[in-house]
Amino acid sequence: MRHCMSPMDFTVEELDRMMDLASDIEKNPDRYSHVCDGKKIATLFYEPSTRTRLSFETAMLNLGGKVIGFSSASSSSASKGESVADTIRVISCFADIAAIRHPKEGAPYVASVHSTIPVINAGDGGHQHPTQTLTDLTTIRSIKGRLDGLTIGLCGDLKFGRTVHSLISALVRYPGIRFILISPEELRIPDYVREDVLKKNNVPFEEVIRLEDAMPQLDVLYMTRVQRERFFNEEDYVRMKDFYILDAEKMKLAKEDCTILHPLPRVNEISVDVDNDPRACYFRQVQYGVYIRMALIMALLDIPEGKPFLGDDFQKGGMNHEV
Ligand code: CP
């Protein structure tokens, strides 16, 4: 049995096959509308979410399956002190697959160890958000036609931004990728990402403070929100929150085919006057998130209709969290 804790759980070939499947789902949704008949996904969200939870639920419904779950810790027995380990043992009796979001790093991994059904990490603290990364890769590949040879700017909260950490880890495996990391001094990427992911893989990167300096070089600009919920004091958050605001004026510095992405939700970091710019792709990104989550559910449940696209060896590659 495979789980999804990090994008690194999948080989590049597996990711390619999953993105091919997502692309076929986009073109032929009817072909997949009953492949999960009789199956259930449990969405266990101990932290707020709009996109990820509803995207998983939409994905399962689109595949013909059903949905159970909770959307906050306070409406589950976690509020009575139940552990994640016990919760997933119980959920394993109810559902065929589970997606878990939790404020504590590693909580979905703990669940996977105690689970008898595939577990998907739907975001754990400031650590990883693998299905956002699958969404981001699918979006970039669909819009740019490739995932190699790109200069990618990541801007905003690079310290606590789990989507950024997951995306960098996934993209370093593609040739010709170069990063420009745009953040205030206090929100630079964690040392482990700089040392163990970027430097270890000899991936070229620069760290800059001014967005304007990076803009003209970028094929993709990935904006992120400064996350109030990750700050220890309100003063630091208020000082940082409007550090970057991408607006129509700054977009004049961007390449004509620069792709603007954001995992969302946004606050002020992208002005609404950018939304109608054809380079603004953050709402299309949400749609790709549904297709790739459909492909992921099919892959983890070993749904036969996924086989022609995923290949027979899908279950053999990548890191495994088998227990
Ligand atoms: N991108 C993302 O994780 O959004 P939600 O917090 O709304 O799920």
Side-chain angles (χ1 to χ4, degrees), residues 4-7 120-124 128-135 166:
C4 171
M5 294 295 119
S6 145
I120 300 168
N121 176 2
D124 60 331
Q128 292 274 348
H129 192 347
T131 62
Q132 181 63 50
T133 298
L134 298 186
T135 299
S166 286

Side-chain angles (χ1 to χ4, degrees), residues 48-52 101 129 132 263-265:
S49 167
T50 296
R51 268 146 301 277
T52 311
R101 170 169 291 187
H129 192 347
Q132 181 63 50
L264 304 177

Side-chain angles (χ1 to χ4, degrees), residues 204-239:
F205 70 96
E206 287 171 58
E207 297 187 79
V208 303
I209 294 177
R210 277 169 46 87
L211 176 57
E212 293 85 339
D213 295 341
M215 283 295 275
Q217 305 174 57
L218 303 178
D219 299 308
V220 175
L221 171 59
Y222 192 90
M223 293 295 293
T224 63
R225 172 176 67 98
V226 174
Q227 302 173 88
R228 174 180 237 141
E229 63 273 29
R230 309 273 177 238
F231 277 80
F232 291 112
N233 72 68
E234 182 74 7
E235 224 172 86
D236 285 349
Y237 168 71
V238 170
R239 198 161 43 82

